Amino acid sequence: MKNIRNVALFGLGRIGYTHFKTLLQNSRLNIKWVVEEAVDRAKQVMCDHGISDCIQVISPSHSQKVFDDPSVTLVFVCSPHATHQQIVTKALEAGKNVFCEKPLTLTSATSQACYDVARRNNRVLFCAFQKRFDPQLRSIYNKVRSGVIGNIHKVKVTSHEPPAIVSREYLQVSGGIFVDTAVHDFDLLLWMMNERPTSVYVEGHAYRDLQQECKDLDSVMIVMKFASGAIGSVDIDRSSQYGFDQRVEISGDKGVILSQNPRQDCSVLLTQGQTTEDGILDSFLTRWAEAYVTEVDHMINLLDGEATTLDVAGDDVVFVNKLAEACLKSYQQGEPIKV
């Protein structure tokens, strides 16, 4: 018989609602609490799904009820970035396991503190870098590890997203492009490399008025150097007019492997003098849909003893935070920074 876990979900925004739907469909989980600032909207969501009598919706000011509930063994944290540390810490100290959306916290020091709490309380803390769970990227990772392209010389990560994905309200609490967006690509690049960089250099610019007003960037190029001699680059842009562009190219001394964009439709139309393909996917919610489901299953498998190793180690998460801090410093100082 499957062990059904009672869970609490903090945050019902875009990514929170995505996880909410995943949790509803998972036969090993039962959502008992939803903690959301917009209580009325959250209650309407419960009504729309026909489960208003099954799930308790409360505001963050009443969240102690979750921590005091001994039947809740797993907490999902999908709230604004600045709230993560407090929720994660309280949940761990209350004996709950925690699944937290990226970034775990806004700094490497506070992320390390969260893992220290998890260790002291013998609980699992998982930071959701979902790209590791995408089947296409996982296949490429396995091929790279098999040695088919030999020793890695370069890894290029491209991450372009439509401007509509971010709002003023989001940018003001996001922690900036390096903490909010680049951490995903850092984790992906370092996972593929299986090595940490020795230095990082950043150039960036804010083209859009919104980013300028929020003192953030919307276009950055990040270059990393590794002790092996390899070079990594991360190209981020938040003004893509053609869709959610996510590509990876890994070059080795025996070959090159590419991860291209999935299409909305895999068909290709060939006519006289013209070839037509559908456009790429339009948002992170569609591009990573399968990965969001798989990473939740991985967390549950670990708790149920069906997996023995957490795929995203705490040391990796903390280092990604440190890399984001080094990137900001490099951009501000206009020079490479050792990491």
Side-chain angles (χ1 to χ4, degrees):
M1 181 181 238
K2 289 183 178 179
N3 178 28
I4 299 178
R5 297 179 177 276
N6 285 329
V7 305
L9 172 66
F10 281 75
L12 203 61
R14 289 180 306 180
I15 192 62
Y17 182 60
T18 296
H19 284 303
F20 170 77
K21 291 185 291 184
T22 297
L23 303 183
L24 279 182
Q25 297 168 2
N26 195 304
S27 62
R28 292 187 287 175
L29 299 177
N30 173 60
I31 306 175
K32 189 172 182 181
W33 299 90
V34 168
V35 184
E36 166 59 41
E37 193 71 54
V39 172
D40 290 342
R41 181 177 61 80
K43 287 182 176 180
Q44 185 59 53
V45 171
M46 303 306 121
C47 289
D48 293 343
H49 285 269
I51 52 176
S52 56
D53 294 335
C54 307
I55 299 176
Q56 300 180 70
V57 177
I58 58 176
S59 69
S61 61
H62 295 95
S63 60
Q64 190 61 40
K65 293 179 180 179
V66 172
F67 306 129
D68 291 340
D69 185 345
S71 73
V72 172
T73 60
L74 177 56
V75 170
F76 285 77
V77 182
C78 306
S79 52
H81 302 344
T83 67
H84 287 188
Q85 182 188 5
Q86 183 181 47
I87 297 169
V88 168
T89 300
K90 285 188 174 182
L92 292 169
E93 289 177 339
K96 323 294 186 188
N97 299 293
V98 177
F99 175 111
C100 185
E101 262 300 322
K102 67 80 207 168
L104 178 59
T105 72
L106 297 177
T107 71
S108 57
T110 51
S111 289
Q112 183 60 62
C114 286
Y115 281 107
D116 291 342
V117 175
R119 185 173 58 254
R120 286 198 303 269
N121 289 276
N122 194 29
R123 289 296 176 265
V124 175
L125 172 56
F126 174 78
C127 183
F129 283 125
Q130 87 284 343
K131 291 186 179 183
R132 295 193 187 205
F133 299 90
D134 175 70
Q136 181 172 319
L137 293 176
R138 175 68 66 166
S139 175
I140 286 178
Y141 171 83
N142 290 335
K143 287 182 173 70
V144 169
R145 293 280 77 77
S146 76
V148 68
I149 64 168
N151 296 316
I152 296 175
H153 287 182
K154 294 185 181 72
V155 179
K156 304 175 185 177
V157 177
T158 299
S159 182
H160 294 182
E161 62 184 41
I165 285 182
V166 292
S167 64
R168 181 184 306 278
E169 293 74 22
Y170 180 87
L171 282 179
Q172 289 172 337
V173 297
S174 70
I177 196 168
F178 301 118
V179 172
D180 175 44
T181 300
V183 289
H184 269 308
D185 305 302
F186 296 161
D187 181 70
L188 173 62
L189 191 153
L190 302 186
W191 180 54
M192 291 292 181
M193 278 292 306
N194 196 32
E195 183 183 1
R196 292 178 177 177
T198 56
S199 66
V200 62
Y201 176 67
V202 177
E203 288 287 354
H205 190 71
Y207 286 97
R208 300 178 67 234
D209 292 343
L210 178 58
Q211 268 76 9
Q212 293 174 13
E213 292 166 8
C214 293
K215 294 181 171 52
D216 200 0
L217 304 170
D218 54 31
S219 182
V220 298
M221 180 65 76
I222 302 160
V223 179
M224 304 177 199
K225 187 66 187 292
F226 294 80
S228 64
I231 301 170
S233 67
V234 177
D235 170 8
I236 300 176
D237 200 288
R238 282 184 146 166
S239 58
S240 169
Q241 301 297 326
Y242 57 91
F244 190 66
D245 182 5
Q246 302 287 299
R247 287 171 282 138
V248 179
E249 178 181 322
I250 306 175
S251 306
D253 55 10
K254 294 181 180 179
V256 177
I257 191 165
L258 305 171
S259 172
Q260 302 282 29
N261 287 300
R263 300 281 174 170
Q264 297 177 23
D265 187 319
C266 293
S267 63
V268 179
L269 175 63
L270 303 176
T271 57
Q272 185 175 5
Q274 185 174 356
T275 299
T276 304
E277 293 183 77
D278 269 8
I280 62 177
L281 302 176
D282 60 357
S283 82
F284 66 96
L285 297 175
T286 49
R287 174 61 185 88
W288 309 119
E290 188 172 349
Y292 291 135
V293 174
T294 305
E295 66 180 355
V296 171
D297 279 334
H298 171 68
M299 176 72 168
I300 304 169
N301 288 341
L302 190 74
L303 296 178
D304 287 350
E306 298 175 17
T308 57
T309 304
L310 193 63
D311 268 7
V312 185
D315 286 348
D316 292 340
V317 175
V318 173
F319 185 81
V320 162
N321 268 127
K322 291 179 179 178
L323 197 51
E325 292 162 354
C327 283
L328 178 60
K329 188 175 181 180
S330 174
Y331 171 71
Q332 291 173 335
Q333 297 183 1
E335 61 185 10
I337 299 296
K338 291 183 178 181
V339 290

